Amino acid sequence: LSSAAAEAKAPPAAPPAQQVNSFPSIVIGPNHALSPQGSFAEAQAAFLEPPQDVVESLLDQLIDRKVGVVAHYYMDVELQGVLHAVKRRQMELLHRQQLEEEDGGASSPSGGTARKIPPYPLVTICDSLKMGDDAVEMCARSNVSSVICLGVDFMSESVSAIMSKNGYGHVPVYRATAKHIGCSLAESAEGDNYKAWLNKNAEGERKSLHVVYINTSLETKAISNSIIPTITCTSSNVLSTILQASHQIGPKELQICYGPDTYMGDNLVSLLDAVISSGWSDERIKADLHPSHDRSTIQSLRDNINVYPSGNCVVHHMFGQSVVDTVNNDYKDAYVTAHLEVPGEMFQIALKKSLDDEGVVGSTSNILNFIERKVEAAAGEIGVGSSQEKRRLQFILGTEAGMVTSIVR
């Protein structure tokens, strides 16, 4: 597993990073044997198997205090290693409890498990939208009395709002600290420039819809909606959102105002350009994108997207030209993944590969699912007694390095 986010020399405008000849990697071998390559990968691998006493202690406290934890994929590897292990241990104990209940406790020396293990995981690591969905499930199925949200400020806001919408507004959501936990992307939509951009589009004669990325504050969403009709999207559903809106209002009549992530907006335009330039037929567009679209309407949608010009995430901004050059020169045979937030050069590599199913562009969940699918397919080809030659799969991880833990686990 190759992580492109770390140890690559960034362009002058990006945060400084160490120059290396190749990306740090974690090689996953038979029986889950791990072989980290490079100091950064070694540091990550060291935290994948945390001390068991730490895992048991944290799980005991979560169960006893009826507390759930929702964490984002981008949390530090030290924390993610423990959280993954806690979830795994809870599921092991739940399975044992279910077996004991089936045989009336005969398999347990004490005549049954001493305490009830909650049926839904008390710890989940996921993307920003699913954090809220999982918190609701923890309340409904595991009866938690509070939820800890490990992420930036807009994530805890979103979790609380989703819980309230589903009838759990009385369950408190705790943040990691009382201090501000900021996000450069979310903050780019909180100033006067963003409001001015919205007002300019609202004053036009054309019908306009503001599609705002979920990675923004509730205040941004509320203020935006007071200026121009606003709908929230995630990196997983942004494409389907703009396709459906364009269909309902009319691709020639509707202007899509996308913000605040400039890279994501530009990448969406590039994706639509690729659909048109690569010769997708009307039939393929209807089958793979949207049943009510064709080449003509995709072109109209592409021409009517207005992207906010001044918003980005400092982490994804690190994917500069040196990273792109390394991918092109040293990893030509690798699968390339790219989050929709990465700069255009890196996105273009993954987009081109995705057209032949040699890569993927999308959300953190899209990236994880792609890697799982490719690994499962390769494993299926090399079954017991198979004459198929074994091969090593390489994946370039075009997003924040915190994703490594979830992928390896």
Side-chain angles (χ1 to χ4, degrees):
L1 173 67
S2 299
S3 173
E7 294 189 26
K9 184 178 180 181
Q18 184 178 355
Q19 173 69 44
V20 293
N21 295 325
S22 60
F23 299 138
S25 306
I26 297 180
V27 180
I28 307 173
N31 301 316
H32 211 268
L34 301 181
S35 176
Q37 310 292 318
S39 59
F40 181 82
E42 291 172 357
Q44 286 192 306
F47 294 103
L48 291 174
E49 295 294 341
Q52 192 59 32
D53 60 330
V54 174
V55 175
E56 297 287 353
S57 175
L58 179 55
L59 178 57
D60 286 343
Q61 292 183 66
L62 294 178
I63 293 175
D64 293 343
R65 300 182 184 185
K66 296 184 177 181
V67 175
V69 178
V70 291
H72 195 268
Y73 284 125
Y74 295 168
M75 292 293 98
D76 289 344
V77 64
E78 300 96 317
L79 178 61
Q80 285 203 49
V82 174
L83 295 179
H84 271 282
V86 168
K87 178 180 178 179
R88 186 166 63 247
R89 179 57 175 161
Q90 180 190 346
M91 294 300 99
E92 291 172 354
L93 293 175
L94 177 62
H95 180 64
R96 183 186 305 173
Q97 173 182 279
Q98 291 169 340
L99 292 176
E100 292 172 1
E101 291 173 348
E102 289 175 1
D103 64 12
S107 63
S108 172
S110 61
T113 304
R115 60 181 177 178
K116 295 290 290 183
I117 304 300
Y120 195 82
L122 295 177
V123 172
T124 62
I125 301 174
C126 49
D127 59 28
S128 53
L129 178 62
K130 196 170 187 301
M131 289 169 72
D133 295 337
D134 282 339
V136 170
E137 291 297 318
M138 290 176 186
C139 295
R141 298 172 58 186
S142 291
N143 195 33
V144 299
S145 58
S146 59
V147 173
I148 296 173
C149 179
L150 300 179
V152 296
D153 288 344
F154 72 77
M155 294 178 185
S156 57
E157 286 184 346
S158 295
V159 168
S160 181
I162 292 172
M163 288 172 59
S164 180
K165 179 74 173 179
N166 286 274
Y168 296 102
H170 61 285
V171 177
V173 176
Y174 294 104
R175 300 162 64 250
T177 175
K179 298 179 181 179
H180 174 63
I181 310 175
C183 166
S184 60
L185 176 60
E187 290 165 1
S188 67
E190 295 171 1
D192 292 337
N193 288 342
Y194 199 75
K195 297 184 186 72
W197 176 72
L198 290 174
N199 278 307
K200 181 179 179 180
N201 286 294
E203 292 169 357
E205 296 181 358
R206 302 174 62 190
K207 296 178 181 177
S208 294
L209 175 68
H210 176 220
V211 179
V212 65
Y213 194 22
I214 190 174
N215 292 9
T216 50
S217 69
L218 292 181
E219 181 179 2
T220 291
K221 296 179 178 74
I223 291 176
S224 298
N225 195 52
S226 70
I227 299 173
I228 188 172
T230 296
I231 186 171
T232 301
C233 72
T234 70
S235 51
S236 297
N237 69 14
V238 58
L239 180 59
S240 60
T241 297
I242 65 173
L243 286 167
Q244 181 62 22
S246 176
H247 159 63
Q248 289 186 217
I249 306 300
K252 293 183 178 181
E253 291 76 27
L254 180 65
Q255 174 182 229
I256 300 288
C257 303
Y258 181 81
D261 195 316
T262 305
Y263 287 144
M264 185 180 291
D266 288 344
N267 289 339
L268 286 169
V269 173
S270 294
L271 192 155
L272 296 176
D273 279 337
V275 168
I276 297 168
S277 63
S278 60
W280 279 37
S281 65
D282 290 345
E283 291 72 20
R284 183 178 180 184
I285 289 173
K286 292 180 184 300
D288 294 347
L289 285 183
H290 193 284
S292 298
H293 277 280
D294 54 29
R295 290 181 58 83
S296 174
T297 60
I298 292 297
Q299 182 67 62
S300 295
L301 169 59
R302 179 255 178 267
D303 293 340
N304 289 319
I305 296 179
N306 184 338
V307 178
Y308 180 64
S310 306
N312 64 66
C313 165
V314 295
V315 174
H316 290 104
H317 190 51
M318 293 178 67
F319 291 87
Q321 191 59 48
S322 62
V323 172
V324 172
D325 292 342
T326 302
V327 173
N328 285 329
N329 295 332
D330 300 337
Y331 297 93
K332 295 180 180 179
D333 296 329
Y335 294 113
V336 180
T337 72
H339 195 278
L340 282 169
E341 291 184 40
V342 303
E345 299 91 341
M346 182 68 185
F347 182 84
Q348 290 296 332
I349 298 175
L351 176 60
K352 183 177 180 180
K353 290 228 174 191
S354 72
L355 297 176
D356 297 318
D357 201 30
E358 297 292 318
V360 66
V361 294
S363 67
T364 47
S365 296
N366 295 144
I367 291 172
L368 184 58
N369 292 337
F370 174 82
I371 294 174
E372 289 179 343
R373 178 168 62 84
K374 287 298 181 181
V375 171
E376 289 175 357
E381 294 172 359
I382 308 175
V384 178
S386 172
S387 60
Q388 184 81 19
E389 182 179 353
K390 294 183 179 180
R391 62 191 178 96
R392 173 177 290 180
L393 305 182
Q394 281 190 317
F395 297 93
I396 300 296
L397 181 59
T399 187
E400 213 278 339
M403 278 288 292
V404 168
T405 305
S406 292
I407 293 170
V408 173
R409 287 271 68 92

